[in-house]
Amino acid sequence: MRQRSLIAITAALAAGALTLTACGSRDDDGGSDSGNGGGGGTTVVIGVDAPLTGDLSALGLGIKNSVDLAAKTANKDKHVEGITFKVEALDDQGQPSVGQQNASQFVANDEVLGVVGPLNSSVGESMQQVFESGNMALVSPANTGPSLTQGPDWRTEKKRPFKTYFRTATTDAIQGPFAAQYVFNDFKKTKAFVIDDKKTYGAGLAGTFTDEFKKLGGKVVGTEHINPDTKDFSAVATKVKNSGADVVYYGGEYPQAGPLSKQIKGTGAKIPLVGGDGIYSADFIKLAGAGGTGDLATSIGAPVEELPSAKEFVANYEAGGYKEPFEAYGGYSYDSAWAIIEAVKTVVEKNDGKLPDDARGQVVEAMQNVSFDGATGKVSFDEFGDATNKQLTVYAVENGDWKAVKSGTYTG
């Protein structure tokens, strides 16, 4: 049943099969001209916050480009009469302090009515209060830390901390246990060595995996925290080899996961590495090398290229001439931008075709009730601002590519 995979599609893009067109070009500050053909009249800016440089830029540029495509499509179709959408992107470098500064910059710009991003949950944490104070919607296509929407005590009492924060990504409260069920029940691994990078996303994901794995009857034979600023994991790799583990679970992102996998195999231990959506990137496969065959990753949603609803997005992205692939979060970034666009449309139509003075606050209110068929399926938000789409997919590295091996939802 294998169809052409996301990586196959994006590899063609990355190989230079398409050239960057003028209407999708980046300007000096990371922003973009989202094309002509809009409704004219009033300009509404959709902000993008993501790592546009550095180790995680492959994912960040995919986010930025997908938002740009959504804005261009809305303008071309005159989806909101009288409104022209423009995208302005800021580089957070994957750093919470920079993300917080970017949030303040977006709030200070009166034309910005909503922001898509960030990639990292730790960056999202640093931005939430700024957007709450500015009464502006922040919609993340990638944050998966449960506390962002359900509060620090989400395991025992779920309480939404910020009304302005939404996401189209499924949380780690679901992703970690989903991975544990696959590893134990389908992959038939019973002894796990669990490693994380000590960051909000990685530590949280490792924690929810561990809880479920133990509940199923699996044994955690070792744990370790790594420094994400280094690429030498030889000491940890030796511990893994000597632990008796038959699987490694890593909570973190691909810049560290790839070398970690390679160095574990380099000890002679044929132990697969499993991670979350943070390692689901073509760059992980490059970094892990040939020994990465058989490694696994879970990622949010169903495979985008296999969804009938995503065909138009994939085709338009190819036609758009973006030089970078849309990567793991492209479809979710596109849908996050469309959620803002749909909320703006609701606000404008309620106000006789014009933006009201308190447009930001009204966009936040309209966002809560947004519901539409997006590239990734049905897009709507629950009472916490979480995506109502809870589907996940397990991918395996096979023949230098990611292959979907199982899709479903966590059954807790």
Side-chain angles (χ1 to χ4, degrees):
M1 150 178 128
R2 182 176 182 182
Q3 300 181 33
R4 189 162 69 122
S5 72
L6 171 61
I7 303 302
I9 294 169
T10 57
L13 293 171
L18 300 163
T19 56
L20 189 64
T21 60
C23 66
S25 62
R26 294 178 60 194
D27 58 31
D28 291 340
D29 65 358
S32 64
D33 172 6
S34 296
N36 298 317
T42 304
T43 296
V44 168
V45 173
I46 299 174
V48 175
D49 178 89
L52 304 179
T53 57
D55 286 347
L56 295 170
S57 61
L59 297 177
L61 291 168
I63 291 172
K64 172 191 172 292
N65 293 344
S66 300
V67 174
D68 185 66
L69 177 61
K72 286 197 290 187
T73 302
N75 290 340
K76 179 182 177 182
D77 297 343
K78 297 186 178 180
H79 189 71
V80 185
E81 196 65 39
I83 299 294
T84 296
F85 291 97
K86 180 182 177 182
V87 173
E88 290 188 3
L90 297 179
D91 180 10
D92 64 29
Q93 302 168 37
Q95 300 297 321
S97 59
V98 180
Q100 190 174 66
Q101 293 169 13
N102 291 349
S104 296
Q105 187 170 331
F106 283 128
V107 169
N109 184 345
D110 291 339
E111 291 187 328
V112 181
L113 293 190
V115 174
V116 175
L119 169 69
N120 305 85
S121 291
S122 56
V123 177
E125 282 182 327
S126 75
M127 303 174 83
Q128 285 182 307
Q129 185 59 62
V130 179
F131 283 105
E132 183 81 3
S133 298
N135 207 15
M136 185 191 294
L138 175 65
V139 190
S140 176
N143 290 170
T144 53
S147 63
L148 290 165
T149 50
Q150 299 174 18
D153 300 320
W154 61 271
R155 287 181 174 85
T156 55
E157 181 185 9
K158 296 178 181 179
K159 185 177 181 181
R160 185 176 186 177
F162 300 102
K163 71 178 186 303
T164 55
Y165 180 84
F166 303 83
R167 56 177 154 201
T168 54
T170 301
T171 77
D172 294 333
I174 298 173
Q175 183 174 196
F178 178 78
Q181 289 188 351
Y182 182 84
V183 168
F184 188 85
N185 295 327
D186 299 80
F187 208 33
K188 304 300 182 183
K189 304 298 182 182
T190 59
K191 293 177 290 184
F193 196 106
V194 180
I195 305 169
D196 70 67
D197 61 2
K198 297 185 287 187
K199 295 197 288 187
T200 301
Y201 164 74
L205 189 59
T208 57
F209 170 88
T210 297
D211 291 345
E212 182 70 13
F213 192 69
K214 288 180 176 178
K215 187 190 302 182
L216 292 168
K219 183 179 180 181
V220 174
V221 296
T223 61
E224 192 65 62
H225 307 289
I226 65 158
N227 178 359
D229 295 327
T230 185
K231 295 295 189 295
D232 181 4
F233 306 118
S234 55
V236 177
T238 299
K239 287 183 181 180
V240 170
K241 179 184 179 182
N242 296 332
S243 69
D246 56 14
V247 66
V248 170
Y249 188 82
Y250 177 67
E253 296 150 332
Y254 67 83
Q256 296 75 37
L260 177 61
S261 173
K262 187 173 186 177
Q263 290 172 43
I264 289 171
K265 274 71 166 185
T267 67
K270 297 180 179 179
I271 303 173
L273 182 142
V274 181
D277 53 317
I279 80 167
Y280 178 56
S281 169
D283 283 13
F284 169 82
I285 297 174
K286 296 175 187 176
L287 292 168
T293 297
D295 286 350
L296 303 176
T298 55
S299 192
I300 55 176
V304 170
E305 79 284 356
E306 295 181 9
L307 289 170
S309 58
K311 288 181 179 178
E312 184 178 359
F313 163 72
V314 173
N316 289 343
Y317 195 97
E318 289 191 27
Y322 300 103
K323 65 180 180 181
E324 303 93 2
F326 53 80
E327 283 282 356
Y329 304 107
Y332 297 90
S333 303
Y334 184 81
D335 285 348
S336 294
W338 267 104
I340 295 172
I341 291 166
E342 291 291 348
V344 170
K345 183 176 183 179
T346 297
V347 170
V348 168
E349 290 179 347
K350 284 176 60 179
N351 195 51
D352 299 324
K354 297 180 181 179
L355 283 175
D357 292 337
D358 61 341
R360 283 182 177 174
Q362 290 198 31
V363 165
V364 171
E365 292 178 12
M367 185 73 67
Q368 189 62 56
N369 298 312
V370 156
S371 181
F372 62 96
D373 293 322
T376 61
K378 190 73 173 180
V379 178
S380 60
F381 306 102
D382 65 15
E383 68 269 30
F384 300 103
D386 282 327
T388 55
N389 183 350
K390 309 294 186 185
Q391 192 167 29
L392 290 152
T393 300
V394 178
Y395 297 87
V397 178
E398 185 177 299
N399 297 322
D401 198 354
W402 287 110
K403 178 186 178 182
V405 294
K406 185 175 184 177
S407 292
T409 56
Y410 166 59
T411 53

